[in-house]
């Protein structure tokens, strides 16, 4: 048996880069659903950074936004993403809308959105970053004292 015999069934991992605190203008590349090696289902949005106030990323960076579908917050976070895509944070979102987003046609691909990534602290004291999706042009990004 060779070292690469199982390459045909290997899972390709995502970008491995996630939102860090800051504001972003991003372009959606892909919306997908995957099942992890541990059997957990994730809704994932892959984006390209167009501009950001986060010093850790530059334009052109690829970021993944994974949502663990087994968590209580999952559907609310996905709904906010869909509302931002619709350009209306009060828009009605249906299961059919999300299924269409995940389809072959990838209707969200190429769309630009703003993301406000905020550092939070969990009840257990762990830090995590919450991504708040907004329609493009909603955030005024400032870095080093000037609009960005």
């Amino acid at each position: 048996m060779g070292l690469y015999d199982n390459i045909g069934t290997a899972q390709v991992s995502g970008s491995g880069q996630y939102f860090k605190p800051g504001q972003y203008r991003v372009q959606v590349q892909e919306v997908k659903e995957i099942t992890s090696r541990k059997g957990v289902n994730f809704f994932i949005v892959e984006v390209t950074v167009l501009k950001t106030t986060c010093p850790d990323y530059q334009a052109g960076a690829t970021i993944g936004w994974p949502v663990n579908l087994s968590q209580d917050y999952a559907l609310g976070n996905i709904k906010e993403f869909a509302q931002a895509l619709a350009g209306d944070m009060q828009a009605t979102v249906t299961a059919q809308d999300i299924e269409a987003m995940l389809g072959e046609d990838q209707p969200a691909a190429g769309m630009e959105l703003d993301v406000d990534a905020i550092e939070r602290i969990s009840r257990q004291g762990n830090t995590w970053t919450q991504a708040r999706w907004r329609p493009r042009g909603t955030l005024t990004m400032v870095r080093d004292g000037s609009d960005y």
Side-chain angles (χ1 to χ4, degrees):
M1 180 178 209
L3 291 174
Y4 307 104
D5 288 348
N6 293 325
I7 198 162
T9 59
Q11 265 192 338
V12 178
S13 63
S15 71
Q17 295 191 99
Y18 307 105
F19 286 108
K20 294 180 181 181
Q23 294 180 324
Y24 299 79
R25 168 120 345 115
V26 298
Q27 183 178 55
V28 177
Q29 299 305 312
E30 182 179 15
V31 180
K32 59 188 173 182
E33 184 181 322
I34 67 159
T35 302
S36 73
R37 291 183 190 101
K38 295 181 180 180
V40 179
N41 292 320
F42 285 90
F43 177 92
I44 298 177
V45 179
E46 294 281 339
V47 301
T48 299
V49 174
L50 301 177
K51 61 182 177 177
T52 181
T53 63
C54 177
D56 294 340
Y57 292 124
Q58 301 297 319
T62 300
I63 295 177
W65 181 64
V67 179
N68 182 336
L69 293 171
S70 69
Q71 299 297 317
D72 292 340
Y73 59 77
L75 294 180
N77 289 348
I78 294 167
K79 179 179 180 179
E80 181 181 77
F81 170 71
Q83 289 172 322
L85 284 172
D88 176 2
M89 299 311 293
Q90 301 302 313
T92 300
V93 178
T94 67
Q96 291 79 16
D97 296 329
I98 303 307
E99 289 166 7
M101 205 182 299
L102 293 163
E104 250 180 60
D105 293 341
Q106 289 291 302
M111 294 185 73
E112 294 181 12
L113 297 172
D114 288 348
V115 178
D116 194 9
I118 305 161
E119 188 172 273
R120 303 284 190 198
I121 299 175
S122 72
R123 291 183 193 115
Q124 295 80 21
N126 301 318
T127 58
W128 58 283
T129 303
Q130 178 184 22
R132 302 301 311 261
W133 296 91
R134 299 292 179 254
R136 184 188 188 284
T138 303
L139 299 176
T140 301
M141 292 187 253
V142 176
R143 181 167 75 182
D144 301 327
S146 60
D147 285 353
Y148 185 70

